């Protein structure tokens, strides 16, 4: 039997019960994958990963799936630029050549890039097949693997083509973090602290108190941070599967962050790094409005700095550059940029009345 230390359930409210799915968190879970109920009947599998992750974890997963099962392996090159239609077509091509049918299960082994594109491939294959997420970066474990947003990039913008397609299960093997570079770990930690800021003041305080254990990757503390992050994301998604309202609070720091990513060229700043800086800007605006104490902004900045994350924007990013880039963001509603601010620590709200002066003061520090 697969033995997670933590199991969470993503309950999709008002929707058929079979759309709910488990998130399993623990050590050594990849090796026990075959025992997952979703895989118990030897269903054929299309297993997608990339060239960095394959030498590390592919054989572990392959062995766990057993000799009897038909498994099609697709190993893509690494990189955000692989999150494109050609990769999805490659997955479909291989799946069709190997005669996969509607009972087959797609499995994504990797970070958010592999997860997003494999989920999208599963959403479209034969009008939708089941898929399982095996996230191997901290960011994908706490964010992209949970929530059912799948998709690819388009030359005109990131994540513009996609589908909501919920996984059948998310299996987080904590052992995979051992090989994750520090910079990627830190980028994931930005999303972790985001959950505390927007939803859970107690979790925020806990993170602040455990910053050095987290930076030192203490296994127990990291496991707890992942479980609490997934649980918050699951709760938010359960209330708003398709981003009609509440889910938008997950974009805290992202409006400013996307502007930085776009202006600096995707990849030069990691997504989590840009979000870290974006959260500081949004928190400063919230503090100037008197909604959160200055101490909260200081604690957030210190926490992010402990992971080597940036807390001020690059010099090239003037207020006008920010404003122009944000006006083009796909999350602009009816011509107005919407910002996620903190009405209090743990309570995020959407506003569209942030002024140029507020942004100028916040980016100045
Ligand atoms: N679907 C969603 O809701 C959602 C949410 C947030 C982000 N995203 C997407 O996720 C993507 C970013 O995900 P990411 O940060 O995981 O990036 P990624 O998938 O590119 O992984 C980062 C790097 O780490 C490598 N890697 C992965 N696991 C490893 C491991 N265990 N050991 C060593 N190296 C490993 C990868 O090969 C890659 O080089 C973006 O495309 C973003 O748009 C999606």
């Amino acid at each position: 039997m697969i033995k997670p230390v933590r199991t969470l359930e993503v309950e999709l409210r008002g929707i058929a019960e079979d759309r709910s799915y488990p998130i399993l968190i623990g050590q050594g879970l990849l090796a026990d994958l075959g025992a997952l109920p979703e895989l118990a009947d030897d269903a054929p599998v299309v297993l997608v990963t990339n060239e960095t992750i394959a030498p590390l974890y592919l054989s572990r997963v392959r062995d766990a799936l057993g000799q009897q099962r038909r498994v099609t392996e697709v190993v893509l090159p690494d990189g955000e630029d692989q999150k494109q239609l050609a990769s999805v077509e490659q997955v479909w091509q291989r799946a069709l050549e190997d005669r996969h049918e509607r009972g087959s299960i797609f499995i994504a082994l990797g970070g958010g890039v592999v997860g997003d594109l494999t989920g999208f491939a599963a959403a479209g294959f034969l009008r939708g097949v089941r898929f399982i997420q095996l996230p191997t970066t901290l960011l994908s474990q706490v964010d992209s693997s949970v929530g059912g947003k799948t998709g690819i990039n388009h030359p005109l913008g990131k994540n513009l083509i996609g589908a909501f397609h919920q996984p059948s299960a998310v299996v987080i093997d904590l052992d995979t973090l051992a090989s994750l570079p520090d910079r990627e770990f830190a980028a994931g930690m930005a999303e972790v602290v985001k959950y505390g800021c927007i939803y859970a003041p107690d979790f925020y305080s806990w993170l602040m108190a455990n910053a050095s254990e987290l930076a030192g990757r203490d296994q127990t503390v990291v496991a707890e941070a992942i479980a609490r992050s997934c649980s918050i994301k699951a709760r938010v998604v359960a209330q708003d599967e398709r981003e009609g309202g509440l889910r938008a609070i997950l974009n805290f720091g992202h409006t400013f962050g996307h502007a930085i990513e776009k202006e600096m060229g995707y990849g030069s700043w990691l997504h989590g790094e840009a979000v870290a800086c974006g959260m500081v800007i949004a928190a400063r605006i919230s503090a100037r409005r008197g909604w959160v104490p200055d101490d909260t902004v200081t604690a957030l900045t210190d926490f992010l700095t402990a992971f080597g994350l940036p807390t001020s924007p690059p010099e090239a990013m003037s207020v006008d550059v920010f404003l122009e880039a944000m006006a083009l963001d796909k999350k602009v509603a009816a011509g107005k940029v919407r910002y996620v601010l903190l009405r209090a620590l743990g309570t995020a709200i959407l506003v569209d009345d942030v002024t140029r002066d507020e942004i100028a003061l916040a980016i100045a520090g």
Side-chain angles (χ1 to χ4, degrees), residues 50 78 80 83 111-113 116 136-137 143-144 149 159 176 179:
N50 77 20
D78 195 353
E80 178 74 33
K83 218 173 99 173
V113 167
D116 278 12
T136 60
T137 61
D143 189 358
S144 61
K149 277 194 188 178
N159 295 323
T176 59
S179 55

Side-chain angles (χ1 to χ4, degrees), residues 50 52-53 56-57 78-80 83 110-114 116 136-137 139-140 143-146 148-150 153 158-159 176-181 184 187 191 233 247 271:
N50 77 20
T52 304
I53 299 150
L56 296 167
Y57 305 112
D78 195 353
E80 178 74 33
K83 218 173 99 173
V113 167
V114 169
D116 278 12
T136 60
T137 61
L139 182 135
S140 58
D143 189 358
S144 61
S145 66
V146 179
K149 277 194 188 178
T150 73
N153 301 325
K158 271 194 73 178
N159 295 323
T176 59
L177 292 178
S179 55
L180 191 68
E184 297 290 349
E191 300 285 356
K233 177 141 191 197
R247 193 169 175 161
H271 175 72

Side-chain angles (χ1 to χ4, degrees), residues 44-68:
V45 159
V46 176
L47 176 56
V48 184
T49 189
N50 77 20
E51 287 170 353
T52 304
I53 299 150
L56 296 167
Y57 305 112
L58 183 58
S59 64
R60 207 175 293 181
V61 174
R62 184 72 189 77
D63 290 349
L65 291 172
Q67 299 300 317
Q68 307 302 322

Side-chain angles (χ1 to χ4, degrees), residues 228-294:
R228 291 178 80 169
S229 299
C230 288
S231 139
I232 293 170
K233 177 141 191 197
R235 262 181 278 160
V236 172
V237 169
Q239 290 173 63
D240 179 21
E241 190 189 0
R242 297 199 170 216
E243 200 163 320
L246 181 68
R247 193 169 175 161
I249 68 169
L250 296 171
N251 291 324
F252 178 58
H254 285 56
T255 308
F256 296 107
H258 285 156
I260 297 173
E261 275 184 283
K262 182 166 174 289
E263 287 306 313
M264 301 318 288
Y266 289 106
S268 105
W269 280 51
L270 296 181
H271 175 72
E273 293 170 343
V275 167
C277 181
M279 288 191 296
V280 172
I281 297 171
R284 280 184 188 147
I285 296 173
S286 310
R288 274 188 214 275
R289 289 186 173 201
W291 292 350
V292 292
D294 288 335

Side-chain angles (χ1 to χ4, degrees), residues 32 64 81 93 114 166 173 217 223 249 301:
D32 284 340
D81 59 354
Q93 176 84 24
V114 169
Q166 301 292 344
D173 186 337
R217 300 205 198 189
I249 68 169
T301 310

